[in-house]
Amino acid sequence: MEKLERLDAYLEANDLASVWFARPNSYAWLTGGSSVIDREADAGVAAVGYDGDQRRVLTDTIEAERTMAEEVPDLPEDTPVETFPWYEDSLAGALADLVEGPAAADIDVPGFESVDPMALRQPLTETDRQRYRELGRATATAVESVCRELRPEDTEHEVASALRIALSARQIEAPVVLVGSAARAQQYRHYTPKEAELGDYVLLSVTAQRHGLHASCTRTVAFDPPEWLEDRHTTAARVETEAIATTQAQAQTDAGTAGDVFAAIQNAYATLGYEGEWELHHQGGAAGFAGREWIATPDHEAPVTAPMAYTWNPTVQGAKSEDTVLITEDEIEVLTTTGHWPTRTVRAVDHDLELERPGILGIHDDDGDDGRTD
């Protein structure tokens, strides 16, 4: 198993007997399940460890039966589970008492070294890639189904509630749900939902999570759009396409970095007449077992790997382009797509790449028909 091979190499390189993961995203990476009860807690209710021979699970007496029955789909049926009384200790304290020999964990445990799991989670395995395809399509289906029902008098809060319901019905969590009405989308890059009516157009942006994997996408719906929206939307899509093309090119070099992609993004904005626009919002980066495994910045040295998911999200005031894309050295696969949304062919700025990118969905409020602006 590819993940265990990575952990074997990590244990050997760091002279450790075991490594443990208690944060929900890394627990999901190694088990395929969820350890979350309290969504505000940094750690889940269970930890999974690996000692070079087998994986083990540690949790309290409340959660043991449910965890092993429902929340470890990627572990063998005979995986050992250790328990501790919920009223006697914390997860970190129980780890400190249970584990023998030098160990590392992704939470603070007395006597343990610290492990940053981000590098271990990259690149994506074949199982993760298949789950990502299913998540991406389901996420886009949920978002687009809500989009087609919108009316100008709807409020951002109402739309956000509809998005959460549509995602939850598909067993998808929604750590980020943004709804930007025409007025607020022009003011703010992160349009957290308020009581504002949608008005002339709206941006819907989500980050969705299932099996620990995160997929993000943005869709634009217009009722009576301003004249500039089409140009800004296309500009954002061209910057995004350039970021995708550069990501693949950098992955092929085995030496590409997040900073290299960011430089291409800066140049794309400038070439298209929006120099400095990148300063007003982050541009995205690698996705996976976090909404962004890393966010690109100037001179960022995070390696560009493949196969890996990336979500670039350039904005031009009042407009945004964003999808989650699986990039290999040979292919570019948009994951958050349904095939049932208006698209247009978008050309990268400095690379010979054209992609189908989401257009603006036009909705005529007088008759309820959907239109296109592509």
Side-chain angles (χ1 to χ4, degrees):
M1 181 179 180
E2 187 176 343
K3 293 179 182 179
L4 298 188
E5 291 174 356
R6 295 182 200 175
L7 294 177
D8 284 330
Y10 176 81
L11 293 177
E12 182 177 358
N14 293 276
D15 197 23
L16 295 170
S18 64
V19 59
W20 292 81
F21 303 101
R23 294 187 183 275
N25 52 355
S26 291
Y27 178 91
W29 172 71
L30 198 52
T31 68
S34 173
S35 62
V36 176
I37 298 295
D38 180 356
R39 303 190 188 287
E40 294 185 350
D42 289 335
V45 295
V48 58
Y50 178 68
D51 62 6
D53 293 320
Q54 63 180 353
R55 285 165 287 184
R56 288 190 291 167
V57 172
L58 172 67
T59 188
D60 64 35
T61 49
I62 301 174
E63 306 298 340
E65 182 179 0
R66 182 188 63 82
T67 293
M68 299 311 293
E70 299 179 343
E71 300 296 357
V72 290
D74 293 350
L75 300 191
E77 291 185 4
D78 60 352
T79 298
V81 56
E82 308 280 353
T83 63
F84 62 93
W86 64 266
Y87 51 86
E88 286 188 1
D89 214 337
S90 66
L91 186 61
L95 275 172
D97 291 339
L98 168 72
V99 177
E100 298 180 356
D106 65 347
I107 61 172
D108 290 333
V109 179
F112 280 37
E113 295 183 17
S114 178
V115 56
D116 180 357
M118 185 178 69
L120 293 169
R121 298 195 297 252
Q122 302 178 60
L124 296 170
T125 65
E126 178 54 41
T127 297
D128 293 335
R129 297 197 295 273
Q130 184 54 40
R131 284 175 173 166
Y132 233 139
R133 293 182 180 100
E134 296 166 359
L135 169 63
R137 184 173 182 84
T139 297
T141 298
V143 172
E144 293 173 9
S145 68
V146 172
C147 287
R148 295 184 184 279
E149 301 298 323
L150 298 181
R151 295 293 180 265
E153 61 271 19
D154 294 337
T155 69
E156 294 174 348
H157 261 310
E158 290 170 339
V159 177
S161 296
L163 286 168
R164 291 188 179 96
I165 291 170
L167 290 165
S168 180
R170 293 166 173 81
Q171 298 180 314
I172 300 171
E173 308 249 343
V176 178
V177 174
L178 303 177
V179 180
S181 60
R184 294 184 67 248
Q186 297 174 56
Q187 289 181 287
Y188 310 113
R189 305 295 164 126
H190 286 150
Y191 24 83
T192 54
K194 303 298 181 185
E195 288 297 330
E197 291 188 358
L198 303 186
D200 291 341
Y201 79 99
V202 60
L203 303 184
L204 285 70
S205 302
V206 305
T207 295
Q209 183 270 131
R210 188 168 67 189
H211 294 298
L213 293 163
H214 292 68
S216 302
C217 67
T218 292
R219 295 293 183 266
T220 305
V221 177
F223 311 104
D224 184 18
E227 292 182 359
W228 48 259
L229 181 61
E230 184 72 29
D231 173 73
R232 295 183 191 179
H233 179 88
T234 300
T235 297
R238 290 197 67 191
V239 174
E240 182 196 18
T241 303
E242 176 61 27
I244 292 168
T246 305
T247 300
Q248 186 180 55
Q250 293 299 323
Q252 291 168 344
T253 70
D254 292 327
T257 67
D260 294 326
V261 182
F262 197 84
I265 291 172
Q266 291 174 299
N267 181 69
Y269 274 117
T271 300
L272 297 173
Y274 288 91
E275 186 169 4
E277 192 76 13
W278 59 269
E279 298 183 56
L280 302 175
H281 185 236
H282 80 77
Q283 302 300 303
F289 287 86
R292 302 293 186 275
E293 293 280 9
W294 47 256
I295 292 175
T297 57
D299 304 318
H300 196 310
E301 296 183 356
V304 176
T305 61
M308 191 64 191
Y310 292 88
T311 303
W312 300 106
N313 48 257
T315 60
V316 180
Q317 184 181 14
K320 182 179 183 180
S321 188
E322 176 185 34
D323 268 314
T324 299
V325 180
L326 177 63
I327 295 179
T328 71
E329 292 187 3
D330 303 315
E331 296 184 27
I332 293 171
E333 179 183 354
V334 180
L335 298 174
T336 44
T337 187
T338 64
H340 302 293
W341 187 267
T343 65
R344 74 277 312 280
T345 303
V346 175
R347 186 177 70 257
V349 177
D350 290 317
H351 283 82
D352 185 21
L353 175 68
E354 291 185 340
L355 288 178
E356 289 300 306
R357 304 303 304 121
I360 300 171
L361 178 68
I363 295 181
H364 304 294
D365 192 42
D366 55 347
D367 58 13
D369 291 339
D370 294 344
R372 296 187 179 207
T373 60
D374 55 346

